[in-house]
Each structure stands twice: as C-alpha cells, then as structure tokens.
Amino acid sequence: MAKIEKIDVLISSPGRNYVTIKIQTSDGIIGWGDATLNGRELSVASYISDHVAPLLIGLDPDRIEDIWQFLYRSVYWRRGPITMAAIGGIDLALWDIKGKSVNRPVYQLLGGAVREKILAYTHTVGWDLAELKDALDKNLARGFKALRVQSGVPGLDSVYGVSQGKKNYEPASRGASAQLEVWDSGKYLRHVPKIIEGARNHVGDDIELLHDAHHRLTPIQAAQLGKSLEPYGLFWLEDVTPGENQEALKLIRQHSTIPLAIGEVFNTIWDFKDLIINQQLDYVRCSVMHAGGISHTRRIFDLAALYGIKFGPHGPSDVSPITMAASLHVDLATPNLGIQEFMGYPEVVSEVFTHAYSLKDGYLHPGDASGLGVDYNEKVAAKFPYAPAYLPYARTFDGTVTDW
Ligand code: EZ4
Ligand code: CO
C-alpha cells in the first residue's frame, strides 16, 4: 500500500492568486490539487496546512472516498466555502494520483467518455452595444458556439462582468482593500433587455447566448428580468437572486420559462437538494472544486439527472487550470452535462500550469495524459509571490451596502 508522505500548500500569483496542493506518495507520485477561493486564499491554505495535512500523512491515497468522508464527517463543523474548497482541493489531488498510478486519464476512471467533446461558453464583454458586437465577432472568430453576454449600464460607472476601457474582465483587484462599485438594479433592469436583443440580432439563431445577473435582484425584479429576456432564447439566465433564499425561485418560475442556472456559491449536495427536487433550477452551477471535488460534485450532478436537470460547472479564471481540468474529466464522463464555462486565463498562467486539456472550435477536451493532466511548475511559480487581492463590493446610490 502506498502512503501519503508529504503535503505542501503553495500559493502563487501569476496575474492572480492560486492556492495549489501538492501531495507526494511513498510511490513517488505527485498529485496536484487546486483550492483557490477568490479573496480568501490564505484561509483555505491555513485550513489545509494547519488542520488537514497533518491528519492525512500515512493514509492510503487510493482511498479517495474514505478520505472524503473522513474530512467531511469527522470535523463536526461541516460545509461552508473554506472547508469545502479544502476538501475539494485534496480530492482533486487524490484523483490525480489515482490516475497517474494506473497511467490513465481521470475520465477513464469515471466510466469513460460519454461524448466526444465538451461545449464551452466564454465571456463576451462590451461597455456598450457597439463594443459588445465587436467582442461577439472576436469570440465567434475564435470558434465559440456559446457566449455569455455582459455590458455596461448607462448611469453606472462599473458593472459586474465588464471593465470600462479594458478588454479582459477580472473581478478581483490587487490591493489591501475591496473596491467600491455603485449599483442600481432599476437602471440595469431597464437596460439589459436592449443589450440581449442587440446581441441576439447580431449573432443570429445558431449561437447560444447566456447572461449572469450575479445575485443582485429581488424576487419580483428577477421575475421581470426572466420575462423580458424570454424572447431572445437564452441558454440560461444565471444567479438572478441571492443564493440564500431559495423560495424566491418559485416566484420567478410562476412568471417565466427562462432556464435558470444557480449555484457557484453553493458547495454541497444539501445546498442543491431542495432546488433540485422542487425543480426550481435548470442548471447546477457549482465548481467541481468548491463543491467538494470530483467525488462530491458527481453525486450532485447525478441527483440533478433524476429530474432532467443538467449541470454547467463554474469555470472562471479564479479557479486554477487544475480545477478546469477536473471539470473537463467530469464533463466528458457524465451524461447530463449542459455546458462548461471557460473564461480562459491570462497567458502567464499557462507558464505556471502546463495542461493537457485543449480548446478547439468552441469545444473543450481534457486530453489523455494520466491523472488530471495539469502540472504545476514550482520554479516559475516562485517568480509570482502572493499579493493580496479582493473582489469588489457594492453600495446603492444612497450609500447602502448591497449584493455584489
Ligand atoms: O464573480 O468567480 O459566472 N461567473 C461568475 C464569476 C464570479 C467569480 C467570483 O470570484 O459569476 O465571475
Ligand atoms: Co456567475
């Protein structure tokens, strides 16, 4: 029996911060896991190195499920984003080890491919419609068949998903404190249907369009948005209301048939259970790492499948290429995939994380390297030390803190 010999938690910042777990076994295998939680990186790192790693030394790395159960159930204080990102990161590293130990890509251990390739969507941003049309053309030229569309709003200086004057959107900004953004849902609600209509007219009917409302609306505002966007045939409308009040989605359902995607801030099957069995969502949106890794997300996706609900894993630049790869192995081997988010990474990220996955004509594939197929170059990573960075926060025009 191989043993877990050493666990290191490495933080680097090639453009943005990533928390990477390195597990070494007595067989000489190295497994890589990602445990990045945007803006709270050091908390997850401490959770793992102070409280998880010491418990795992000497255990059998092959017993992935037993280790998962141990980390989840033996703590008493269950769930939550920090705990679950830590468990998820360890789970990813253990699947990487298992794949490498039998010389197979992880998707083969999950039952093998159930599709040839994975439909991906990427982000398309423009401050106004003219800029957005330009960005749509560029992403279509890159081969994407599905595009998320976000734009600025007249009267607001900053809006989730768009950067004024910049081509690439990155929500977290470096510095010791969170940046303030001023938000007004009324202005947004009156403007966004014009943008989505413009985008649909521009791309025609062959391309899938998606939109993210980022948890900002009240239930009735969300219902209004669903209704107003219905004519444009969106693939999904994401995170319309804050995640805590799940009842809100019933109200939205009463007024709109727009497909709803929810769950990037959820991290266990328990967060999704009622939404799934009451059919209040259409796409489960959790990240394969933030929701406890491959072992746990597969259970969530299977529960969803019983109700004809699909999954579309979170894939922003703030989870590392290791999580992206893990998602792709699950996507390739799990029947009820809807779509995979692929925000993409700044170039410098692939100097640190070399990966076997590939993107071609708008479709992703995890590749056939053993394990997850991502290597972390510690030497290059050392050139990019951790730098504090935070997501923005929002206030309304009267100064009240509101949901970002
Ligand atoms: O704001 O991952 O759908 N994608 C998103 C992301 C989230 C970030 C937060 O860290 O909503 O852009
Ligand atoms: Co989102």
Side-chain angles (χ1 to χ4, degrees):
M1 175 190 106
K3 284 185 177 164
I4 294 176
E5 234 170 41
K6 192 163 186 279
I7 301 181
D8 295 299
V9 182
L10 310 164
I11 308 181
S12 65
S13 197
R16 63 164 352 284
N17 292 316
Y18 293 111
V19 178
T20 303
I21 305 172
K22 178 184 185 185
I23 301 186
Q24 298 180 66
T25 72
S26 53
D27 283 353
I29 295 178
I30 293 176
W32 297 108
D34 169 37
T36 308
L37 187 65
N38 207 358
R40 291 295 182 271
E41 295 86 359
L42 301 184
S43 303
V44 187
S46 152
Y47 188 100
I48 298 167
S49 49
D50 294 330
H51 301 298
V52 171
L55 307 179
L56 299 186
I57 302 301
L59 300 189
D60 179 356
D62 258 337
R63 296 185 63 175
I64 301 178
E65 184 63 30
D66 186 63
I67 289 174
W68 197 97
Q69 297 290 328
F70 169 64
L71 291 179
Y72 184 80
R73 290 177 196 272
S74 71
V75 184
Y76 190 62
W77 312 108
R78 297 180 185 184
R79 312 198 289 159
I82 292 172
T83 300
M84 296 310 293
I87 297 178
I90 297 286
D91 187 81
L92 263 45
L94 293 176
W95 277 102
D96 192 33
I97 288 170
K98 194 182 280 290
K100 286 169 175 166
S101 73
V102 295
N103 215 0
R104 301 290 269 164
V106 166
Y107 78 82
Q108 293 290 8
L109 309 184
L110 302 176
V114 296
R115 53 183 58 83
E116 304 308 317
K117 51 190 182 176
I118 297 154
L119 178 65
Y121 76 91
T122 198
H123 293 192
T124 317
V125 302
W127 190 253
D128 54 27
L129 189 56
E131 243 183 65
L132 182 68
K133 286 180 183 172
D134 237 35
L136 285 165
D137 289 341
K138 285 193 181 120
N139 277 336
L140 291 174
R142 290 168 71 201
F144 281 101
K145 314 281 184 275
L147 296 167
R148 191 183 89 160
V149 170
Q150 309 290 137
S151 81
V153 173
L156 298 181
D157 290 337
S158 47
V159 174
Y160 163 77
V162 206
S163 296
Q164 242 182 116
K166 283 196 219 151
K167 267 187 242 130
N168 291 327
Y169 175 71
E170 174 59 54
S173 52
R174 285 192 172 164
S177 59
Q179 302 291 309
L180 171 65
E181 294 186 350
V182 177
W183 177 250
D184 186 275
S185 292
K187 291 184 199 296
Y188 163 79
L189 277 176
R190 289 184 291 277
H191 186 66
V192 74
K194 298 177 209 163
I195 288 291
I196 303 293
E197 181 186 27
R200 174 56 75 203
N201 289 339
H202 189 70
V203 300
D205 282 346
D206 272 355
I207 298 297
E208 298 292 354
L209 294 177
L210 305 85
H211 180 69
D212 190 347
H214 218 257
H215 308 283
R216 294 175 177 206
L217 304 175
T218 65
I220 200 67
Q221 286 173 335
Q224 284 174 9
L225 182 64
K227 232 171 144 169
S228 65
L229 297 186
E230 228 170 72
Y232 311 115
L234 289 189
F235 188 94
W236 75 37
L237 175 62
E238 178 182 342
D239 288 336
V240 274
T241 50
E244 298 92 333
N245 175 17
Q246 302 198 340
E247 292 290 298
L249 299 172
K250 287 189 186 157
L251 183 104
I252 299 158
R253 288 289 211 209
Q254 283 164 13
H255 297 281
S256 170
T257 59
I258 198 154
L260 297 173
I262 295 145
E264 69 191 31
V265 298
F266 295 165
N267 38 57
T268 69
I269 198 166
W270 302 102
D271 300 327
F272 283 106
K273 181 185 84 120
D274 291 346
L275 290 180
I276 291 172
I277 66 181
N278 296 323
Q279 314 220 42
Q280 286 165 262
L281 84 174
D282 302 286
Y283 295 94
V284 166
R285 267 289 283 156
C286 55
S287 136
V288 166
M289 177 264 292
H290 290 150
I294 291 172
S295 304
H296 193 64
T297 44
R298 275 211 121 196
R299 295 222 154 93
I300 304 175
F301 301 160
D302 280 349
L303 177 65
L306 299 184
Y307 297 86
I309 293 167
K310 298 191 174 189
F311 67 97
H314 195 207
S317 57
D318 52 82
V319 296
S320 90
I322 299 171
T323 294
M324 179 50 60
S327 279
L328 297 177
H329 287 280
V330 172
D331 295 344
L332 199 69
T334 309
N336 57 325
L337 171 72
I339 198 165
Q340 171 66 51
E341 180 178 26
F342 183 76
M343 190 170 162
Y345 297 93
E347 208 122 288
V348 59
V349 173
S350 30
E351 291 172 31
V352 175
F353 298 89
T354 48
H355 55 80
Y357 68 72
S358 59
L359 171 71
K360 200 179 159 223
D361 294 332
Y363 291 90
L364 289 155
H365 192 283
D368 281 297
S370 19
L372 294 175
V374 179
D375 275 320
Y376 182 77
N377 188 326
E378 289 178 75
K379 258 204 199 131
V380 180
K383 291 198 292 189
F384 305 102
Y386 168 76
Y390 291 97
L391 288 169
Y393 80 108
R395 293 183 188 271
T396 52
F397 277 101
D398 67 359
T400 312
V401 171
T402 186
D403 300 300
W404 177 74

